Amino acid sequence: MTTTSSTQRVRTGRVTFFVALAVFAQESTWNLYDSQVPPLLREHIGSAALIGLLMGMDNVLGIFIQPWMGNRSDRTRTSWGRRMPYLLVGMPVAALLFLVIPHVAASLPLLIAVMFGYALVANSFKPIAESLLPDFVPPERRSRANAVVKIAASLTVMVAALISIFLIDTHPKLSFAIPAILMVVSLAVLAANVRDSRSPAYRTAVDGERDQDGAAAPAARVRDTVLDIVRDADRSRLLLIASILLFGGAWAASRALITPYGMEALGMSRGEAGGLTLPSGVAFIVAAYPVARLAERFGRLRVMAVGMTVFAAGMVLGTVVRTPTGAVIGLCVASAGASAFLVNAVVVLWNLAPSDQVVGTYTGLYTVGWVSGGFLGPAVVGGLVDLTGWPLLLLHVAVIALLAVLAVARVSALQCRSTAGRAL
């Protein structure tokens, strides 16, 4: 029994590493995109609100694409499994489109067109890689596994910051080539090592179909899943998605607008401002695994609420101490707090799903909430900046984060009433 448990732990640990690698591949492009595309837009556009809208508008594609693609992957059956085929096609195309961005930056229409193409492809496979995790990892260990995945994502924040500091001012085209190459290399390693047709969730789905004499199992449509969430008298899932939207908006605004904030409010160069997030990446890495363990001990919802409050406090600190050092410290505090939400929110949503056969759809719904926040947050905060000035950017972000805290607190209260003793 002990040997079997140890073997399973090694297997899930290995899969967790490769899922983290897949997410690293995706986020390596997304983070440089968030950091350095706004200055490219700023060469053509003066309004912070419009820049924020364009930086968020690509994410609105995810509202329609990601749940559908997650649901589609739930239904797919191949020798590679149900997730890998989409990654093998989507990731190289996204890398190529990302590589093209600085080459078309002189023309605003071409720049927007390539941004749209990149967002369309990258959003199509974004929830699929993350869905590999619950396919292989049991519910009780998902926070720890997801912490490893989020640490990998945080490393890409540091990669983007280092590229901004050392390369973006002198070699802008090479700067975009590096994450694109990282994506292709990471995909090659992932493809050589992972067949999600071997995952417990995939085998369960296939066995269920065999039990029905080979008939295809009736899979819930995205529309049916959404209606189930909306009509449920227990509003936990709906409120959780709302909190994901709100906190996603706060996070996206703090990332998409931080480079122009450093330039306008702190008097930094473009490269220096792009490096403001580098230390916060370290803070996230340090905090991610401990908050996963704390969540398993004290409850995921409780730890999420505390972490989001710490995030807001970091934003307030950065506003009060209006210097590059103050901004870096505030971002570090905020990132440490944000790790509690980023590690646990999707795990709570997975564990609220009616079965593992729809985890791809639920991952898509998580990303709908997140990218909806990514669409609205930078635009709303950018509009507030147009009214009040760049120095108050971080304070506006803090207010949105506190609204998300209220939503999570309500989910926690509902779960205490309806699922006594259940670990989310």
Side-chain angles (χ1 to χ4, degrees):
M1 181 72 175
T2 303
T3 303
T4 302
S5 177
S6 177
T7 302
Q8 185 179 30
R9 191 175 298 113
V10 171
R11 187 175 301 149
T12 57
R14 184 172 180 271
V15 169
T16 298
F17 170 79
F18 289 117
V19 172
L21 188 63
V23 173
F24 176 88
Q26 297 176 48
E27 295 298 322
S28 64
T29 58
W30 276 116
N31 278 292
L32 192 68
Y33 180 93
D34 287 339
S35 174
Q36 294 302 333
V37 171
L40 296 179
L41 292 171
R42 190 165 170 266
E43 293 177 3
H44 303 279
I45 301 169
S47 169
L50 186 54
I51 292 173
L53 183 65
L54 287 171
M55 286 303 298
M57 193 182 307
D58 54 79
N59 288 325
V60 78
L61 294 170
I63 296 174
F64 303 99
I65 295 171
Q66 294 193 29
W68 185 81
M69 288 298 295
N71 183 263
R72 186 70 185 171
S73 70
D74 284 337
R75 303 181 183 204
T76 299
R77 304 288 181 265
T78 72
S79 60
W80 283 82
R82 56 184 179 176
R83 318 291 186 198
M84 285 301 299
Y86 299 98
L87 299 177
L88 290 170
V89 174
M91 291 175 71
V93 175
L96 178 61
L97 288 167
F98 184 79
L99 182 66
V100 171
I101 289 175
H103 295 271
V104 299
S107 168
L108 182 60
L110 281 178
L111 176 59
I112 294 174
V114 174
M115 288 169 60
F116 178 87
Y118 166 76
L120 180 67
V121 176
N123 273 311
S124 69
F125 63 81
K126 189 171 184 178
I128 293 175
E130 296 176 12
S131 296
L132 287 168
L133 195 67
D135 281 351
F136 283 96
V137 181
E140 64 273 12
R141 297 185 64 84
R142 287 175 182 172
S143 281
R144 302 183 203 186
N146 200 42
V148 175
V149 172
K150 295 305 181 184
I151 287 172
S154 183
L155 286 173
T156 66
V157 175
M158 299 174 65
V159 169
L162 287 170
I163 290 173
S164 294
I165 292 171
F166 294 110
L167 289 176
I168 198 70
D169 289 332
T170 54
H171 303 286
K173 294 178 181 178
L174 176 62
S175 299
F176 278 77
I178 291 173
I181 293 170
L182 286 174
M183 177 179 279
V184 174
V185 171
S186 298
L187 174 63
V189 175
L190 179 70
N193 289 278
V194 174
R195 298 291 187 278
D196 66 284
S197 56
R198 302 169 186 168
S199 72
Y202 185 87
R203 291 199 301 265
T204 298
V206 172
D207 290 344
E209 292 168 2
R210 288 174 181 165
D211 290 342
Q212 298 181 20
D213 298 324
R221 298 173 301 173
V222 176
R223 180 175 179 273
D224 297 330
T225 302
V226 172
L227 288 176
D228 176 58
I229 293 173
V230 171
R231 293 172 178 171
D232 190 359
D234 181 343
R235 297 295 187 184
S236 295
R237 291 176 293 176
L238 189 60
L239 283 168
L240 182 61
I241 292 172
S243 74
I244 293 165
L245 185 153
L246 288 166
F247 195 74
W251 179 262
S254 72
R255 296 289 156 173
L257 300 176
I258 195 64
T259 299
Y261 169 79
M263 296 169 69
E264 297 291 342
L266 304 178
M268 304 174 74
S269 73
R270 176 182 167 186
E272 291 170 339
L276 282 172
T277 57
L278 176 58
S280 67
V282 178
F284 186 100
I285 291 171
V286 171
Y289 197 78
V291 300
R293 298 300 299 267
L294 288 171
E296 292 174 358
R297 181 174 180 181
F298 297 107
R300 293 183 176 96
L301 291 169
R302 183 179 300 173
V303 170
M304 284 165 58
V306 172
M308 294 155 72
T309 304
V310 172
F311 173 87
M315 293 291 103
V316 173
L317 175 62
T319 303
V320 173
V321 186
R322 197 178 304 156
T323 64
T325 301
V328 167
I329 294 173
L331 288 170
C332 286
V333 172
S335 290
S339 67
F341 185 91
L342 294 171
V343 165
N344 292 295
V346 71
V347 177
V348 174
L349 196 58
W350 285 333
N351 293 351
L352 286 172
S355 77
D356 281 345
Q357 295 192 33
V358 294
V359 293
T361 307
Y362 269 65
T363 305
L365 292 176
Y366 168 83
T367 52
V368 163
W370 191 256
V371 301
S372 296
F375 169 64
L376 295 171
V380 170
V381 172
L384 293 172
V385 167
D386 284 343
L387 293 174
T388 63
W390 283 102
L392 295 182
L393 168 74
L394 301 181
L395 186 62
H396 299 316
V397 172
V399 172
I400 296 175
L402 290 175
L403 293 176
V405 173
L406 296 177
V408 168
R410 180 57 180 164
V411 174
S412 182
L414 289 172
Q415 289 302 305
C416 287
R417 296 176 189 173
S418 62
T419 58
R422 179 179 176 182
L424 288 177

